[in-house]
């Protein structure tokens, strides 16, 4: 098979890129290791910045999001037994975020792709990238016991943190920056009304707590747990009790509990790979960078990469200009590092970092300072809605 852009991975980065290319008539194929149901069973992001919602519109996949997405203008910070609302809409001159699940966004993108003429190959095993440092790269994979070869001009590595694209960049060129945190998030998804209309980030002496939602009838809650914790050790009842214990009394009283649709533990990690391009290979999304979810940035960064990479391909194929592709890695990394900083900072501000009471006092003082200052609130707000 021959194509212009071979996209590895059918997560948000690969699907968004694929749809933008398809709409511009640029030949592409998506090669995905898993099947559709597996991908749609992964519960991940919920908060979409304007860059992501605009891109979904540009891709022609925003119809359901326009109807079902919840537009938020603020969120709540809970600490020292009190709540402070950050009106990020007012603080940023009118910017909002949309609460709409990554699962739904992925499904919508899969549906528009299926209605079009470009192919997605699911359950592609042993995916390998070849000749990436040349103008004639190709990808091989095994499906139903048969090895296939896809020849292309470019490869977009959109295969997430554990994918095969990033390790294709030689060790002496690839530089990786990493910070692992000694805790994770235990999350529950349940068909119960959310405790609040807006997202609540909480700082409790026993650890971080987050109240989010997917709709007016579906809630998503998280509590910080030690990294070595096992989800099997958490009954649903234990989760609900811990959540309520970490919330202020008036909020805890409003928590509606119900059977879990999903319960899982996600480790927290900061990671950046430089450069994000090598020869004909371009990395986008989690394959190039990971942020701890505290800033709600991961999916939005992936969308930003997809948009920027599409612009490069559009310049190359429609205007015979490679400059935009050449600048891809540097321009993405400038944006990525700012989101890495915000996500790391939000994580250190809200989580229980150690048993030293000094650390907690400093966190409390920082939260008091930030929420007592217009400048402090603006710094949180403008990062949360996404820097330009
Ligand atoms: P994905 O979604 O991981 O998709 C990669 C795809 O590549 C496939 N793949 C392969 N395909 C072929 N060959 C191989 N060898 C392959 N290896 C892997 C995989 O099967 C998969 O289909 O990466 P992508 O597209 O870059 O998207 C990134 C986002 O998924 C991620 O950043 C977000 O989910 C992060 N995130 C959040 N981001 C936000 O912007 N807002 C949020 O509110 C938010 N909350 C979260 C989150 C992530 C979380 N977890 C579980 C880590 C909350 C949580 C709990
Ligand atoms: C979510 O709804 O899953 C969510 C919300 C905010 C975050 C992370 C995850 O910072």
């Amino acid at each position: 098979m021959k194509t212009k852009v071979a996209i590895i991975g059918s997560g948000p980065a690969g699907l968004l890129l694929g749809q933008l290319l398809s709409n511009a008539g640029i030949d592409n194929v998506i090669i995905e290791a898993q099947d559709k149901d597996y991908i749609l069973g992964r519960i991940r992001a919920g908060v979409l910045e304007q860059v992501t919602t605009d891109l979904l519109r540009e891709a022609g996949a925003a119809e359901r999001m326009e109807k079902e997405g919840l537009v938020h203008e603020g969120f709540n910070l809970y600490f020292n037994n009190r709540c402070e609302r950050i009106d990020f809409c007012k603080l940023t001159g009118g910017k909002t975020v949309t609460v709409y699940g990554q699962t739904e966004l992925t499904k919508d993108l899969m549906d528009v792709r299926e209605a079009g003429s470009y192919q997605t190959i699911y359950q592609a095993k042993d995916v390998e990238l070849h000749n990436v440092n040349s103008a004639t790269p190709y990808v091989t994979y095994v499906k139903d016991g048969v090895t296939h070869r896809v020849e292309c001009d470019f490869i977009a590595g959109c295969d997430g943190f554990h994918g095969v694209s990033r390790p294709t960049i030689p060790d002496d060129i690839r530089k990786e920056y990493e910070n692992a945190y000694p805790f994770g998030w235990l999350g529950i998804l349940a068909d119960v009304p959310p405790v609040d209309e807006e997202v609540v980030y909480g700082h409790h002496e026993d650890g971080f707590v987050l109240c989010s939602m997917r709709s007016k009838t579906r809630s998503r809650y998280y509590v910080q747990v030690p990294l070595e914790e096992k989800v099997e050790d958490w009954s649903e009842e234990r989760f609900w009790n811990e959540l309520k214990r970490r919330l202020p009394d008036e909020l805890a009283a409003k928590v509606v509990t119900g059977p879990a649709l999903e319960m899982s533990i996600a480790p927290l990690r900061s990671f950046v790979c430089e450069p994000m391009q090598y020869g004909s290979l371009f990395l986008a999304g989690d394959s190039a960078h990971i942020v701890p979810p505290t800033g709600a940035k991961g999916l939005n960064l992936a969308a930003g990469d997809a948009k920027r990479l599409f612009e490069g391909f559009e310049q190359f194929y429609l205007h015979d200009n490679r400059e935009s592709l050449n600048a891809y890695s540097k321009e993405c990394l400038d944006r990525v590092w700012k989101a890495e900083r915000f996500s790391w900072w939000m994580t250190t501000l809200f989580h229980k970092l150690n048993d030293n009471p000094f650390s907690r006092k400093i966190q409390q003082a920082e939260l008091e300072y930030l929420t007592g200052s217009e400048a402090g609130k603006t710094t949180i707000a403008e990062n949360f809605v996404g820097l330009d």
Side-chain angles (χ1 to χ4, degrees):
M1 188 197 296
K2 259 196 153 99
T3 191
K4 289 195 162 75
V5 184
I7 301 170
I8 319 290
S10 175
L15 284 165
L16 277 167
L17 175 65
Q19 204 49 40
L20 297 173
L21 289 171
S22 302
N23 292 350
I26 301 169
D27 216 43
N28 66 91
V29 62
I30 298 182
I31 301 161
E32 163 64 51
Q34 304 293 343
D35 63 31
K36 252 178 96 168
D37 289 346
Y38 179 90
I39 297 169
L40 292 174
R42 291 192 293 228
I43 309 297
R44 288 185 170 179
V47 177
L48 311 183
E49 291 172 16
Q50 211 159 318
V51 59
T52 309
T53 49
D54 285 350
L55 209 57
L56 211 57
R57 286 185 195 103
E58 199 179 327
E63 206 179 304
R64 202 158 61 97
M65 181 201 70
E66 307 279 18
K67 273 195 254 146
E68 296 175 17
L70 306 172
V71 175
H72 283 202
E73 297 186 349
F75 61 69
N76 297 294
L77 303 182
Y78 155 65
F79 59 97
N80 292 358
N81 285 316
R82 63 191 187 83
C83 241
E84 278 283 344
R85 181 168 186 266
I86 304 289
D87 187 337
F88 53 72
C89 183
K90 208 163 101 197
L91 290 160
T92 61
K95 289 191 184 166
T96 57
V97 299
T98 301
V99 173
Y100 189 66
Q102 176 168 336
T103 316
E104 309 309 319
L105 170 144
T106 305
K107 183 175 181 313
D108 297 346
L109 284 164
M110 283 176 167
D111 287 350
V112 268
R113 187 165 179 93
E114 269 167 32
S117 46
Y118 294 100
Q119 212 187 337
T120 302
I121 296 146
Y122 290 105
Q123 292 180 293
K125 299 298 162 208
D126 302 333
V127 174
E128 281 182 38
L129 285 57
H130 307 267
N131 288 359
V132 289
N133 197 19
S134 80
T136 52
Y138 63 96
V139 180
T140 55
Y141 63 91
V142 176
K143 173 125 186 172
D144 301 327
V146 180
T147 302
H148 299 263
R149 175 177 166 129
V150 180
E151 292 175 5
C152 52
D153 301 332
F154 298 104
I155 300 174
C158 304
D159 47 350
F161 183 66
H162 300 286
V164 288
S165 298
R166 189 180 63 250
T168 312
I169 303 178
D171 288 350
D172 57 339
I173 290 182
R174 180 166 34 101
K175 194 154 172 42
E176 296 185 344
Y177 301 84
E178 183 161 15
N179 188 40
Y181 303 83
F183 41 77
W185 283 13
L186 171 64
I188 202 168
L189 184 74
D191 273 336
V192 291
V195 69
D196 195 279
E197 280 180 7
E198 295 181 330
V199 174
V200 181
Y201 289 85
H203 175 69
H204 182 272
E205 63 181 324
D206 291 329
F208 173 72
V209 55
L210 171 60
C211 306
S212 184
M213 71 282 291
R214 291 293 174 270
S215 69
K216 293 207 156 108
T217 55
R218 182 170 286 186
S219 302
R220 180 72 166 153
Y221 295 112
Y222 300 96
V223 293
Q224 174 188 351
V225 292
L227 198 56
E228 54 280 1
E229 205 80 6
K230 298 266 172 290
V231 70
E232 300 79 56
D233 295 333
W234 283 80
S235 65
E236 293 178 21
E237 194 193 358
R238 183 177 170 206
F239 179 93
W240 291 116
N241 288 339
E242 187 59 20
L243 176 77
K244 287 195 252 182
R245 205 176 64 76
R246 290 192 197 179
L247 289 172
D249 291 345
E250 67 277 14
L251 217 53
K254 287 200 271 167
V255 171
V256 181
T257 64
L261 300 171
E262 193 256 9
M263 226 171 129
S264 56
I265 295 181
L268 266 59
R269 188 195 303 272
S270 298
F271 174 89
V272 181
C273 163
E274 293 190 356
M276 287 171 60
Q277 180 240 335
Y278 174 67
S280 300
L281 168 66
F282 292 80
L283 302 180
D286 278 15
S287 73
H289 40 74
I290 295 279
V291 285
T294 328
K297 289 278 163 264
L299 168 58
N300 296 302
L301 281 179
D305 292 352
K307 176 183 159 73
R308 181 59 188 78
L309 188 51
F310 166 66
E311 286 165 4
F313 288 139
E314 193 182 33
Q315 283 297 316
F316 181 80
Y317 285 112
L318 307 184
H319 305 286
D320 200 19
N321 181 351
R322 213 193 136 122
E323 268 172 40
S324 172
L325 277 181
N326 293 343
Y328 171 78
S329 177
K330 176 170 183 331
E331 285 182 18
C332 283
L333 286 166
D334 288 348
R335 174 174 45 83
V336 164
W337 274 112
K338 288 183 187 146
E340 288 283 345
R341 186 209 67 82
F342 178 64
S343 305
W344 163 85
W345 177 69
M346 282 285 280
T347 303
T348 54
L349 192 56
F350 277 97
H351 288 72
K352 180 177 181 177
L353 300 175
N354 50 47
D355 288 325
N356 186 344
F358 179 82
S359 301
R360 181 158 148 78
K361 284 284 183 192
I362 292 291
Q363 287 172 312
Q364 287 175 328
E366 189 167 6
L367 282 162
E368 291 288 355
Y369 158 68
L370 287 165
T371 52
S373 138
E374 276 306 285
K377 285 194 280 196
T378 306
T379 211
I380 297 178
E382 67 187 11
N383 278 281
F384 188 75
V385 297
L387 297 170
D388 286 332

